[in-house]
Amino acid sequence: MEKLIITAAICGAEVTKEHNPAVPYTIDEIVREAKSAVDAGAAIVHLHVRFDDGTPTQDKNRFREAIDAIKKACPDVILIPSTGGAVGMTAEERLQPTELPIEMATLDCGTVNFGDEVFENTMPMMRAFGKRMMENNIKPEYECFEMGHIDTILNMARKGEVPGAPMQFNFVLGVPGCAAANINNLVWMVNSIPAGSTWCVTGIGRHEFPMAAHAIAMGGHVRVGFEDNLFLEKGVLAKSNGELVAKVVRLAKELGRPVASSAEARQILGLK
Ligand code: KMH
Ligand code: ZN
């Protein structure tokens, strides 16, 4: 089995310090959380940014500032800036980080109910995001919240509308309004992607670690972090993203799966 790539989604756009005081807003806090995750074993950081008051933003300059500061503290880390941003942002707003020299970015694969809101990813939006990533040589991580997202993005890749093989998928399971976090859905999704693809799973809330355990055993990769879950265990808030990553490292060790460095993750993902 390949080594395990751990991604830390350190910030997100929805969670706040009211949910967990360690949720990062400022650049210093974002660097602190990224470093805690990398030091614990994360090869990748999935990045959202906030203004200092916690407001989510896709502002290019804020992304540049965060990326430069993280790279100073963690020079090798792979960064996956979000093009999802926060619900309600326009496509133009969301695309801003793709104007920067980045290796990867998320590409969300369809419109979904997202809690009580609608997370809009229309076909024209996805075409625009795919075109930008092809032009700027950015490898997408395809975020699939629903079964049909896989067919959608594979059809688009076949038509050359979004980057093709080797494709990296992130199966985000357990968002209220989207596919549930259970092993049947995960196995179905894994069996639906082309050979030679790579995949990771994100289990939302209390599903974070059970889904991580499935992925470790199945040969996939794992995402954890405050964007998806704030608790180390029932009733115990995580003090840092690093604590969440460290728990995955422990699970991997128990299951005999070595953890990939960022350099090893670049090889596995086919990054140059
Ligand atoms: N904040 C969510 C609405 C992504 O990063 O591409 C979307 C999201 C996905 O977080
Ligand atoms: Zn995200």
Side-chain angles (χ1 to χ4, degrees), residues 4 10 12 67 87 130 150 153 208 215 223 230 233 248 260:
L4 172 70
I10 59 172
I67 289 169
V87 166
I150 297 174
I153 213 67
E208 181 160 86
R223 177 174 118 175
L230 300 157
E233 56 189 75
V248 177

Side-chain angles (χ1 to χ4, degrees), residues 40-52:
I44 300 178
V45 168
H46 166 54
L47 189 63
H48 288 251
V49 294
R50 311 283 186 97
F51 289 122
D52 284 353

Side-chain angles (χ1 to χ4, degrees), residues 46 58 81-85 94-95 97-98 105-108 121 129 133:
H46 166 54
Q58 289 291 104
S82 175
T83 66
R94 286 168 49 180
L95 269 172
T98 63
T106 59
L107 199 161
D108 295 281
N121 296 286
F129 285 35
M133 293 192 204

